[in-house]
Amino acid sequence: WEGHNGPWSVSDSFESVQELPKGWRVDHERGMTSWERGAISNSLGYGPNNTAWPSGNEGMAINLNGGYSSNVYTHLVSPIYQIPLGSTARLTFNHWICTEAAWDGGTIFTSVDDGITWQHFGDNISGFYERLSQVNTNSPFHGRGIFDGSTVTNGCGTGNNNHTFNRISGDISNLAGNDVKIRFSFFSDPYVEADGWYIDDAGIEIDRFQTTGTWMS
């Protein structure tokens, strides 16, 4: 934010609290596994193999100590982000995901009415998601873009020794002038399960510009 006293920022951390940072919550609808906060443990062969979050020692994942279960539908919901009118902004986060390709996966929704209604995010951003959910008509994400780990080189399963996080960024400037919440939603069907979804350093980057100005040589 560019103010009278210069630029500034506000952040919170998964490191400094016992539970979730202020404003974050988990809305769990069904399934035996859900979003958890903590350190990475791949002692059972699941998850990123370097056991290190992109920053700090803790982050959020679907089951930190193993694979996810069947019939999961669960949401990680952010606090409100105030995006100033006239600004450009990007949703950004680091993540690693491995699911039953095309059938399970994770996706993102936004809300401008404090979570009363949710709109799917990123369908208009070329290359943002890994694939369109098409094969599972029972998925709540059917017909929408999803992350499922299908684009990981050499596969996202335990046979791949290169389980590293990727930085994801998508323009969210169309919601400037609103108070915005972000929801990271994960779904699995009744059959094949895999590692899950790991997320760190999630937030919104905002560029603030003055509406008028002068030119200087």
Side-chain angles (χ1 to χ4, degrees):
W1 181 279
E2 180 183 326
H4 292 295
N5 297 317
W8 55 271
S9 65
V10 175
S11 64
D12 210 332
S13 174
F14 293 126
E15 313 296 323
S16 60
V17 292
Q18 292 298 315
E19 298 297 331
L20 296 180
K22 182 179 179 181
W24 288 84
R25 72 174 194 268
V26 172
D27 289 345
H28 184 65
E29 298 197 32
R30 64 176 183 265
M32 295 296 293
T33 51
S34 182
W35 289 101
E36 298 177 343
R37 166 191 168 272
I40 296 174
S41 171
N42 63 1
S43 59
L44 299 178
Y46 294 97
N49 59 7
N50 60 5
T51 67
W53 292 101
S55 64
N57 299 312
E58 299 188 349
M60 297 295 297
I62 307 291
N63 193 4
L64 285 159
N65 298 306
Y68 59 84
S69 62
S70 62
N71 294 311
V72 168
Y73 192 35
T74 189
H75 316 286
L76 174 63
V77 183
S78 79
I80 289 175
Y81 295 98
Q82 297 176 329
I83 306 180
L85 186 66
S87 64
T88 56
R90 296 162 302 282
L91 169 65
T92 66
F93 57 97
N94 286 310
H95 87 144
W96 182 84
I97 189 169
C98 186
T99 74
E100 181 190 11
W103 293 88
D104 303 340
T107 196
I108 298 171
F109 293 85
T110 61
S111 176
V112 295
D113 55 12
D114 200 21
I116 297 174
T117 61
W118 294 93
Q119 297 76 43
H120 191 245
F121 174 79
D123 282 331
N124 62 331
I125 304 175
S126 177
F128 184 77
Y129 289 109
E130 291 182 280
R131 70 163 70 233
L132 190 67
S133 177
Q134 294 178 302
V135 297
N136 189 352
T137 57
N138 293 318
S139 170
F141 308 150
H142 184 253
R144 294 167 169 162
I146 58 171
F147 302 106
D148 63 355
S150 60
T151 63
V152 174
T153 304
N154 299 322
C156 65
T158 56
N160 185 355
N161 293 322
N162 187 27
H163 291 176
T164 57
F165 282 82
N166 292 320
R167 186 70 173 169
I168 303 296
S169 180
D171 187 84
I172 200 170
S173 303
N174 63 304
L175 297 183
N178 290 284
D179 293 341
V180 181
K181 281 190 172 184
I182 308 298
R183 191 180 81 184
F184 299 89
S185 297
F186 184 85
F187 165 82
S188 68
D189 66 14
Y191 302 107
V192 179
E193 290 80 48
D195 300 53
W197 198 8
Y198 294 69
I199 292 177
D200 199 13
D201 302 329
I204 293 182
E205 298 175 337
I206 299 171
D207 303 319
R208 176 67 171 173
F209 301 96
Q210 296 179 351
T211 56
T212 60
T214 59
W215 291 98
M216 178 180 292
S217 172

